[in-house]
Amino acid sequence: MTALSSHLLEEIKALPAKYPQPRSAVMPALDLAQEELGHLTPDAMSEVAEALQLDPGYVEGVATFYTLFHLEPVGKHRFYVCTNLSCMLRGAEDIVDRLKGAIGVREPGEVSKDGLFSYEEVECLGACEYAPVARLDHRYEVDLTRTKIDSLVNDRRLVRKHIKVPRRPLSEDSLDEGPLPGSAVPPRKRGGGRRPKKSG
């Protein structure tokens, strides 16, 4: 029995054809494995290496070098909270304290009792203008407040109970105001994104 599903292994085997060098497929392959298992086990890394026809030591080296890969179990929903200067000046420390209380943990990497949450402090998410910022479920959450943290946590607990949580609709105007919770990339700068109309 393999650690990774046969379907995923086939998907990983197809990755090298998309890159100039086969080794370039290691990170997306590890990301797929982590997405399926929640974290990277030794067996999973070995299977990734075999699927890509690479040395297992190289694959493990990549997995241990990048902090986005986790070798221990993490929460289903993992908060990456920026605690760099811009975010810290705008209340990141208070956001972290609120988050720890909301999910019931005491330190980074600790998993909540229900297995749903964990958090990590990171240096920068490239969205300083919207500080304090966090990344959650591959999405940027900006201009964080204690109330927003409570909402993010509670929404995901409701989803677990099969209660549909309403989302704000995506629109051009809303992107100018800042990214939606559904934005997977840093938002545009405020006031930018549209070219002024030429007069005359």
Side-chain angles (χ1 to χ4, degrees):
M1 184 175 178
T2 60
L4 302 174
S5 66
S6 57
H7 172 76
L8 186 67
L9 288 171
E10 290 302 316
E11 190 174 348
I12 290 173
K13 289 176 182 178
L15 285 174
K18 301 179 181 180
Y19 300 94
Q21 298 293 331
R23 288 192 172 194
S24 300
V26 172
M27 290 187 68
L30 289 172
D31 192 47
L32 288 171
Q34 181 168 273
E35 189 74 21
E36 181 170 89
L37 299 179
H39 69 288
L40 296 173
T41 65
D43 286 344
M45 288 185 282
S46 294
E47 290 173 19
V48 167
E50 183 178 353
L52 297 177
Q53 298 182 348
L54 293 173
D55 179 67
Y58 174 75
V59 173
E60 183 177 352
V62 173
T64 54
F65 180 79
Y66 291 100
T67 57
L68 62 93
F69 296 122
H70 308 295
L71 306 184
E72 299 292 337
V74 297
K76 180 180 179 181
H77 305 290
R78 187 172 180 86
F79 286 82
Y80 296 87
V81 184
C82 177
T83 53
N84 210 333
L85 182 60
S86 295
C87 286
M88 191 60 71
L89 290 174
R90 297 193 64 183
E93 186 174 0
D94 185 54
I95 292 300
V96 170
D97 287 342
R98 184 67 168 197
L99 177 61
K100 289 193 292 186
I103 65 178
V105 302
R106 291 176 293 181
E107 58 186 23
E110 182 181 352
V111 180
S112 60
K113 290 182 178 180
D114 56 13
L116 285 179
F117 302 102
S118 58
Y119 86 96
E120 180 178 324
E121 296 180 23
V122 297
E123 280 300 305
C124 186
L125 291 171
C128 300
E129 188 175 356
Y130 297 90
V133 179
R135 194 165 186 251
L136 173 65
D137 298 336
H138 306 290
R139 300 170 180 180
Y140 276 75
E141 304 293 346
V142 303
D143 296 321
L144 290 172
T145 63
R146 295 167 69 89
T147 301
K148 283 187 178 181
I149 288 296
D150 291 344
S151 178
L152 291 170
V153 172
N154 291 335
D155 284 354
R156 280 151 183 80
R157 286 185 171 139
L158 289 174
V159 169
R160 191 186 190 193
K161 296 176 181 177
H162 308 291
I163 299 175
K164 188 175 182 180
V165 179
R167 287 189 175 275
R168 290 168 53 197
L170 180 63
S171 68
E172 186 72 15
D173 290 336
S174 65
L175 287 176
D176 284 337
E177 295 169 0
L180 296 174
S183 175
V185 295
R188 300 184 209 164
K189 291 183 179 296
R190 288 191 173 101
R194 291 180 179 176
R195 293 184 180 177
K197 293 182 179 179
K198 292 183 179 180
S199 58

